[in-house]
């Protein structure tokens, strides 16, 4: 069975009862995106240093307190980390920076660019490391949150009595050739395909010529195609790009479901909160979370290929089996299961090595 993702490698760095941490590694670059950052002291430093962008759903402690760990492991690196989230996030990041003394700030330190998402507008503030993380406004824009040639990140605003942002990561187009379409077009494979692929990855296909092999009667001859993009359209294989949806801490309502349908309907993998059992649906609705009954209705509307339920209420810490028994996915939707907990266990005092006693 082929892997569903060509470029992306999602890893859920938490258990069912832990604070959610979704890391999406971008295979071709070795870099990563992080979705939410609650309790995350267990991450290795090399994980922190691989993160280029962080996407915060909302600023409740279990989704945001780990930002201090990100700052700790990243502030002295000469790069800029993008942080996205709901309105008010820049002020909260400013408060985090102001908690500490930065009198030893150096010229090679990195920056944090914080972008607030509000009704389609993206307002950015840069916190400059060399300037002791002083803030400066960078203006406002609209459109795609974050993108490179391997992926695009978009969002939708939902409600949890406060604005909560849901996210979608979609893989970029891949260079894929369809053998049948090549045969129909009379195009023959050869070393020239490497030139075409390079133009594709460099984003320079449009209007650029490329030499290719073409069948003419019984002969194979080399021809010059003046527009590489037009040639590629004739022989490419069309594939639906794989995608990941990240949704947490929202109530089940028509408004929230409509927002999610517009963003994550039909995604390859949906990572989504499922906090309460069906018997506590009233409690779930009042606290603006989802019960398993709500979760099942949501799955029927969104129809992802795979779904990973997470962020189960700590009320049920004895075990997660009741949750999974109540999840009833529609045909074509596969439910993925994760352990209850993945974070390290607390260290007892008796386990801590004692210093060697000095002898007189």
């Amino acid at each position: 069975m082929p892997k569903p993702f060509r470029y992306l490698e999602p890893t859920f760095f938490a258990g069912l009862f832990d604070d959610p941490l979704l890391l999406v590694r971008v295979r071709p670059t070795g870099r990563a995106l992080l979705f939410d950052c609650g309790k995350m002291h267990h991450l290795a430093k090399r994980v922190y240093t691989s993160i280029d962008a962080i996407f915060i759903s909302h600023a409740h402690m279990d989704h945001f307190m780990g930002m201090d760990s990100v700052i700790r492991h990243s502030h002295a690196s000469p790069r800029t980390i993008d942080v996205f989230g709901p309105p008010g996030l820049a002020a909260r990041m400013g408060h985090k920076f102001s908690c500490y003394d930065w009198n030893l700030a150096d010229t090679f330190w990195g920056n944090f660019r914080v972008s607030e998402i509000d009704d389609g507008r993206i307002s950015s503030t840069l916190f400059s490391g060399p300037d002791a993380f002083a803030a400066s406004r960078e203006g406002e824009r609209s459109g795609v949150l974050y993108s490179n040639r391997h992926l695009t990140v978009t969002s939708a605003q939902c409600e949890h009595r406060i604005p909560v942002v849901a996210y979608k990561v979609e893989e970029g187009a891949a260079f894929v050739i369809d053998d049948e379409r090549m045969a129909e077009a009379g195009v023959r494979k050869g070393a020239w395909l490497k030139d075409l692929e390079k133009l594709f990855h460099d984003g320079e296909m449009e209007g650029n010529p490329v030499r290719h092999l073409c069948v003419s009667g019984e002969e194979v001859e080399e021809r010059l195609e003046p527009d590489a993009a037009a040639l590629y359209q004739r022989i490419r294989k069309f594939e639906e790009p794989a995608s990941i949806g990240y949704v947490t801490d929202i109530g089940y309502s028509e408004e929230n479901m409509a927002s999610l349908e517009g963003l994550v309907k039909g995604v390859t993998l949906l990572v989504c909160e499922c906090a309460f059992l069906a018997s506590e649906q009233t409690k779930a609705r009042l606290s603006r979370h989802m019960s398993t009954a709500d979760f099942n209705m949501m799955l029927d509307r969104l129809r992802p290929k795979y779904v990973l339920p997470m962020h189960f209420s700590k009320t049920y810490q004895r075990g997660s089996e009741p949750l999974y028994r109540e999840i009833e996915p529609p045909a074509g939707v596969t439910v993925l299961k994760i352990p209850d907990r993945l974070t390290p266990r607390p260290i007892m005092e008796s386990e801590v090595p004692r210093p060697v006693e000095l002898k007189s």
Side-chain angles (χ1 to χ4, degrees):
M1 177 181 173
K3 290 184 177 180
F5 298 105
R6 184 181 299 274
Y7 298 136
L8 306 179
E9 188 176 292
T11 302
F12 196 71
F13 268 89
L16 189 63
F17 293 100
D18 301 326
D19 298 346
L21 297 171
L22 175 64
L23 188 86
V24 178
R25 182 173 174 268
V26 186
R27 289 194 189 105
T29 64
R31 309 303 299 164
L33 311 178
L34 180 66
F35 292 81
D36 274 344
C37 51
K39 187 177 181 182
M40 50 194 292
H41 64 279
H42 57 291
L43 297 189
K45 184 176 181 179
R46 64 180 178 272
V47 175
Y48 287 103
T49 56
S50 73
I51 297 169
D52 284 337
I54 301 171
F55 301 86
I56 301 297
S57 60
H58 61 301
H60 282 168
M61 181 179 284
D62 53 340
H63 298 263
F64 189 54
M65 71 178 186
M67 186 59 70
D68 290 272
S69 296
V70 175
I71 295 171
R72 170 68 182 89
H73 290 292
S74 307
H75 71 276
S77 299
R79 61 196 181 99
T80 297
I81 297 176
D82 283 297
V83 182
F84 298 88
L89 187 67
R92 289 184 168 90
M93 287 291 289
H95 291 312
K96 285 187 177 292
F97 288 121
S98 67
C99 284
Y100 305 102
D101 289 323
W102 302 106
N103 59 298
L104 300 180
D106 213 326
T107 55
F108 62 83
W109 281 18
N111 313 309
F112 286 80
R113 177 179 291 108
V114 182
S115 298
E116 298 180 1
I117 309 160
D118 187 13
D119 195 26
R121 299 186 305 276
I122 306 164
S123 304
S124 298
T125 301
L126 185 72
F127 293 87
S128 172
D131 299 319
F133 296 103
S136 59
R137 293 295 302 273
E138 287 194 329
E140 189 176 286
R141 62 181 176 88
S142 58
V144 171
L145 289 186
Y146 182 90
S147 66
N148 55 44
R149 69 183 181 89
H150 299 297
L151 60 90
T152 299
V153 183
T154 51
S155 68
Q157 185 168 301
C158 295
E159 173 269 327
H160 182 54
R161 295 187 180 168
I162 57 172
V164 170
V165 184
Y167 295 100
K168 176 184 177 181
V169 192
E170 186 171 81
E171 289 192 330
F175 182 83
V176 186
I177 300 300
D178 189 314
D179 290 343
E180 290 186 6
R181 298 189 74 208
M182 282 192 75
E184 291 172 2
V187 177
R188 183 68 62 86
K189 288 183 178 180
W192 67 271
L193 279 172
K194 292 188 179 296
D195 298 329
L196 185 65
E197 184 174 9
K198 185 177 188 306
L199 289 173
F200 173 86
H201 288 303
D202 292 343
E204 297 178 355
M205 297 185 79
E206 197 77 34
N208 276 319
V210 64
R211 292 190 176 278
H212 67 287
L213 298 179
C214 189
V215 178
S216 179
E218 299 296 324
E219 302 293 326
V220 176
E221 61 183 32
E222 185 178 81
R223 291 183 183 176
L224 180 67
E225 168 62 55
D227 186 5
L231 174 60
Y232 180 61
Q233 287 303 314
R234 295 200 298 270
I235 63 175
R236 67 172 293 192
K237 184 175 183 178
F238 292 91
E239 293 183 343
E240 190 71 26
S243 54
I244 301 169
Y246 180 82
V247 180
T248 187
D249 288 46
I250 68 167
Y252 188 90
S253 67
E254 184 54 39
E255 293 77 13
N256 280 344
M257 291 304 109
S259 292
L260 293 183
E261 280 188 306
L263 180 70
V264 297
K265 186 173 183 177
V267 293
T268 309
L269 170 64
L270 178 63
V271 179
C272 185
E273 170 214 297
C274 183
F276 291 95
L277 296 173
S279 60
E280 297 200 77
Q281 184 168 359
T282 300
K283 181 178 180 180
R285 296 282 176 93
L286 288 173
S287 62
R288 311 306 294 147
H289 286 283
M290 280 202 287
S291 69
T292 52
D294 296 327
F295 192 79
N296 289 334
M297 289 189 290
M298 180 199 67
L299 289 182
D300 191 55
R301 294 179 66 162
L302 300 184
R303 300 293 177 117
K305 187 173 183 180
Y306 299 94
V307 63
L308 176 63
M310 53 86 174
H311 208 24
F312 201 34
S313 171
K314 289 182 171 57
T315 305
Y316 314 112
Q317 290 193 75
R318 289 185 177 180
S320 60
E321 283 306 316
L323 164 72
Y324 286 105
R325 283 198 297 268
E326 291 190 359
I327 294 177
E328 300 173 351
V333 179
T334 300
V335 178
L336 305 179
K337 188 172 182 179
I338 57 175
D340 287 359
R341 294 171 190 82
L342 287 184
T343 50
R345 64 180 177 82
I347 299 175
M348 303 298 292
E349 181 184 1
S350 59
E351 298 175 88
V352 178
R354 295 182 179 277
V356 179
E357 292 183 4
L358 296 177
K359 294 183 179 180
S360 56

